[in-house]
Structures are given as C-alpha cells and as structure tokens.
Amino acid sequence: DVVSLFTSIPIPLAKEVLISKWQHIDPHTSINKTTFINILEFCLSTSYFSYNNKFYLQKNGLAMGNPLSPVIADIVLDHIFDYCLQQCGKYVQFSIKYVDDSCFSIQSDKIDQDLNTFNSFNNNLQFTIEIETDNKLPFLDVLIIKEQDGTISTKLYTKPTATGRMLNFYSNQPYTYKLNTATNLIKRSLTLSSNKYHDSTIKLTANTLTKNGYPKKLIHNVINKYKKPNNIHTKNNNPISQNKEKKFYSLPYIHGISERIAHNFSKNNNLKIVYSNYKCNKRFFRFQKDKTPTNLNSNVAYKINCSNCPSTYIGETKQYIKNRIRQHEYDTKTKKDTTALSQHTTKTGHTFDFSNTTIVDREKNTQKRKFLEMIHINKNSTSINFKTDIADLNTIYTNLLN
C-alpha cells in the first residue's frame, strides 16, 4: 500500500513519467508534445482552496479532488512497479496491482530487500507491507488463503472497522433498489469466494442483510437464485440494450407516485426512469465550505427589488451575477427597453437595488433554468416581467402554483 498516494506524488515526477510515455499518448491527441506538457503543468500546479475566506495553494503532490489526479497517479504507479519489479527479478513470483493496493508472492528472505527497492525509488513515495498470517492475506475485498495442499482459495473479506450498514429496507427508496442491494451483495459474496466457503459467506451476508431490515423470505429467494450453477456469472444479452442507446431521466422519488410514472414509460425500451432522493447527506453538510459571494455565482435564477416600490424583477443567467447586473445597469443608464427592468426604470424614474440581488434557484441546464425562471415569475405577484417571459409555461403549472 502507498502512504497518502495523491499528495505523495511529486509533480516533477509525474511530468517526467508522462514525457517518457509520450509515444503511447501521441496517437490519441492532436496536441503537440510541448503544448501537452504545458497544459499538464498548469492543471497540476494550480490546485488551490479557500478557508475562512483566504486562498491557499497546494505546494506539493497531486490534489485530492482533481479529476486528473487518479489518472496521473495510476500511470506513475505503473511506471514505478515496472521499474521496481524488474529490479526485484526472479524473487517476485507474481504480482497484482489495483490503484495503490498490490499483492505479491515473494521469497520470505527477500521481503525487506524488495520493500527497500520500492521505497528507494522516490523519497516522497513510501510503501507499507502486510505479511500473511496463518497462511491468510487480505487484499481488497478478498481473503487469499493458502491451503495445506498448496492451492489458493479465496473468501469474502470485510475489514474489522466495517459497520455493515447499507441501504435499509425500511428507507424511503424504491423496492427495486433494495432488491438490487440484496442481490448484488449475495452475488458478490459468492463470486469472490471459493466453493468451499460459500455456505459460511452466505450466512455472514444474510446476517448483514437481516440487521438492515431485509425480510428473511427475500434473502432466502435471492440466495436460492444465485446458488444455482451458472447463475453467478450470468450476463445480460438483451439485444435491445446492445443495439440502441437508452435515455435516462431522473425523477425525485415519491413512494407510490414515482412508480406509476415509471410504469407509464415502461413500454418504451429505449427510455429508463431512475430515481433521486432530495433528502440526502449533502443537505446537512452543504455549509462546510466557504460561501461563494452572491455576485460570483453563475447558472442561477435571481431576483432584484425596486428601491422605490414593491416591484421585483426575476431573471436567469449562466454568467456570473455581477456580469449580468453590469448589463442591467448599462441598459438602465442608456435607457434601452430590452428588459422589463430597464423599461420600469425609464417610465418611472425608479432605481433597482442591484447590491442586494438574491438567488432564488440554481440550475446548470439552460432549459431547466429558464423553466425555473418562469415558475418564480408566476409565483411572484409583484413581478414586472413581460408576459412573454412566461408564455411557454403550461397552464397546468399555473393552476398548481396558485
């Protein structure tokens, strides 16, 4: 295992490895080598974050959360393993690597020597090692077992710190999600375990599902289905899913209603309804980061109040709010009639309180954002927006909102 993988990989090392792999990268990009390396350096060296309204720049290593970091880290580790395994030579019988976890078969008297080979590659990158105990060694979710006859068996492995918590059967989620949870857990436990350990693994998995509220009958039915021969490794050979690309639409899950809506679309084989839960953890932890100033928000619907009367203006923009406000200020100054806001100012001489602009909704999708704008215009009785601004709002929504 690598200690603190991302932050331990020096950017110069990442750059050096990528340059050495250029012959493999070149066929997949139209960017020349110099430009590619410059872009790479920029993406890796501009990792910053804010805390208490102060900005900090990460000085060493790859940034956690950077979409590029996992890719670069994997390439660098592959390079390190290729080099070090060559140095270790015949003493390594076999090796398996998954991200920063690896499993080796090494002569017992060469363990310290080979570990030193890896740790001496770069001072920042340090590896830890776990040696088999009682002929057993955990690797990812598998316990590798060396049997007395010299053969290798596997068994599902859970860490001592595992809580066993998962999607509870009584939670507000679709039944299909709960069934899939039980199915995938049982199928996984059978797939990762050798036949001789199936019974003990299934017992452990069934106990975990029971603690999470799953009925014994459901557990029993799923176990019987996947304990049958040839059912563990079955594949989906549906010709429709292979030949035509499905379109997925997400709906908030409301028990009893969402299922009916999905059923109405079930005859369309190219359309799939998936569910989302509005009450999720991010609602409770959304204020942990520094708040973005209002004028630096984008992809929003916003409201501006008139300073001299109860009138309000509702708008939407994909720009920073400060840029959209600047446009409104220019329109009112030059007396352009492009928006209801500028017309109100020209006709009445009133001014708008631009400094206290408020965000009423957020949405990155343009069409959805424009729809939300219409909803808020319709709900706001003091809105001065043009009637054409809500012309595309179906009357059924008007009745619901009223």
Side-chain angles (χ1 to χ4, degrees):
D1 189 17
V2 184
V3 179
S4 303
L5 174 61
F6 287 177
T7 54
S8 296
I9 296 179
I11 293 177
L13 174 62
K15 178 183 172 182
E16 178 186 334
V17 172
L18 265 292
I19 292 175
S20 70
K21 305 288 184 183
W22 178 250
Q23 69 272 21
H24 303 294
I25 301 171
D26 189 31
H28 302 284
T29 180
S30 58
I31 304 173
N32 63 61
K33 183 177 180 180
T34 302
T35 304
F36 182 89
I37 297 301
N38 288 338
I39 294 173
L40 177 69
E41 281 187 318
F42 176 80
C43 292
L44 296 181
S45 61
T46 54
S47 301
Y48 61 88
F49 64 94
S50 66
Y51 178 71
N52 284 342
N53 297 317
K54 289 185 179 181
F55 281 88
Y56 297 85
L57 178 68
Q58 182 171 324
K59 297 175 66 176
N60 300 311
L62 305 179
M64 300 288 291
N66 186 333
L68 195 58
S69 294
V71 179
I72 300 297
D74 202 37
I75 294 173
V76 171
L77 274 187
D78 281 345
H79 176 79
I80 294 173
F81 272 67
D82 289 342
Y83 174 82
C84 291
L85 287 175
Q86 189 175 10
Q87 298 298 311
C88 295
K90 62 181 181 180
Y91 302 117
V92 178
Q93 302 300 315
F94 77 87
S95 63
I96 304 171
K97 183 182 82 69
Y98 183 80
V99 191
D100 62 336
D101 289 314
S102 56
C103 180
F104 294 90
S105 175
I106 307 174
Q107 289 183 208
S108 57
D109 60 334
K110 299 295 182 181
I111 292 176
D112 292 337
Q113 176 183 316
D114 290 346
L115 178 61
N116 184 61
T117 300
F118 277 85
N119 284 335
S120 61
F121 183 88
N122 187 284
N123 292 332
N124 293 294
L125 279 163
Q126 295 299 297
F127 293 78
T128 60
I129 193 169
E130 182 178 354
I131 304 173
E132 66 175 74
T133 303
D134 297 328
N135 294 327
K136 298 176 182 178
L137 180 68
F139 177 61
L140 302 177
D141 293 335
V142 176
L143 183 66
I144 303 173
I145 305 169
K146 184 168 64 177
E147 304 291 355
Q148 291 183 352
D149 60 359
T151 60
I152 297 295
S153 299
T154 58
K155 185 180 180 181
L156 178 70
Y157 175 75
T158 55
K159 292 183 178 180
T161 55
T163 62
R165 293 189 65 179
M166 61 183 68
L167 180 65
N168 194 282
F169 189 79
Y170 296 102
S171 62
N172 184 41
Q173 296 288 346
Y175 176 78
T176 53
Y177 286 17
K178 300 166 187 174
L179 178 61
N180 288 340
T181 298
T183 299
N184 291 333
L185 193 65
I186 290 170
K187 187 176 180 180
R188 169 174 162 268
S189 63
L190 291 172
T191 303
L192 296 180
S193 302
S194 300
N195 290 339
K196 62 185 297 183
Y197 295 111
H198 277 187
D199 289 340
S200 60
T201 302
I202 283 296
K203 185 177 180 180
L204 180 65
T205 304
N207 184 52
T208 301
L209 288 168
T210 301
K211 288 181 178 179
N212 284 274
Y214 287 77
K216 291 184 179 180
K217 184 177 179 180
L218 184 149
I219 299 171
H220 179 74
N221 290 339
V222 175
I223 290 174
N224 285 342
K225 177 181 178 181
Y226 283 98
K227 284 193 74 173
K228 293 178 181 179
N230 303 321
N231 273 8
I232 298 177
H233 301 284
T234 54
K235 294 183 179 180
N236 181 14
N237 294 317
N238 187 347
I240 295 177
S241 62
Q242 292 179 354
N243 297 331
K244 295 184 180 180
E245 183 178 349
K246 283 191 176 184
K247 293 183 178 179
F248 290 84
Y249 292 91
S250 176
L251 294 177
Y253 180 70
I254 303 173
H255 180 68
I257 297 177
S258 299
E259 288 89 349
R260 293 181 185 179
I261 296 174
H263 179 73
N264 291 333
F265 291 98
S266 61
K267 294 181 180 179
N268 188 338
N269 292 321
N270 298 323
L271 188 148
K272 180 72 174 176
I273 300 295
V274 295
Y275 306 110
S276 60
N277 195 338
Y278 180 69
K279 293 183 178 180
C280 47
N281 287 339
K282 67 179 181 181
R283 291 188 63 200
F284 302 99
F285 301 102
R286 63 196 305 178
F287 303 112
Q288 300 303 309
K289 295 183 178 180
D290 286 350
K291 186 177 181 181
T292 303
T294 301
N295 64 348
L296 293 179
N297 279 271
S298 58
N299 295 310
V300 296
Y302 60 90
K303 181 176 74 171
I304 308 175
N305 295 323
C306 179
S307 301
N308 307 102
C309 70
S311 299
T312 59
Y313 175 81
I314 307 290
E316 63 83 22
T317 182
K318 67 177 182 180
Q319 310 175 66
Y320 284 139
I321 289 182
K322 67 175 184 178
N323 294 338
R324 186 67 184 112
I325 289 176
R326 192 179 297 120
Q327 294 168 0
H328 282 309
E329 290 174 331
Y330 177 79
D331 288 345
T332 57
K333 185 178 180 180
T334 57
K335 297 185 178 181
K336 287 187 176 182
D337 59 355
T338 51
T339 64
L341 184 149
S342 56
Q343 282 194 15
H344 181 80
T345 301
T346 302
K347 289 179 181 179
T348 63
H350 292 179
T351 58
F352 277 82
D353 188 7
F354 293 116
S355 60
N356 288 312
T357 300
T358 57
I359 297 171
V360 294
D361 239 314
R362 303 172 187 270
E363 177 56 57
K364 291 183 178 180
N365 183 282
T366 301
Q367 296 302 319
K368 291 181 181 179
R369 191 171 62 250
K370 289 183 179 295
F371 178 78
L372 289 170
E373 177 195 27
M374 290 189 292
I375 291 290
H376 286 286
I377 291 173
N378 195 282
K379 287 175 62 177
N380 199 317
S381 59
T382 59
S383 168
I384 60 170
N385 291 74
F386 298 138
K387 288 185 177 180
T388 53
D389 290 341
I390 57 172
D392 294 330
L393 185 66
N394 196 301
T395 53
I396 191 171
Y397 292 107
T398 303
N399 294 330
L400 287 171
L401 292 170
N402 292 334

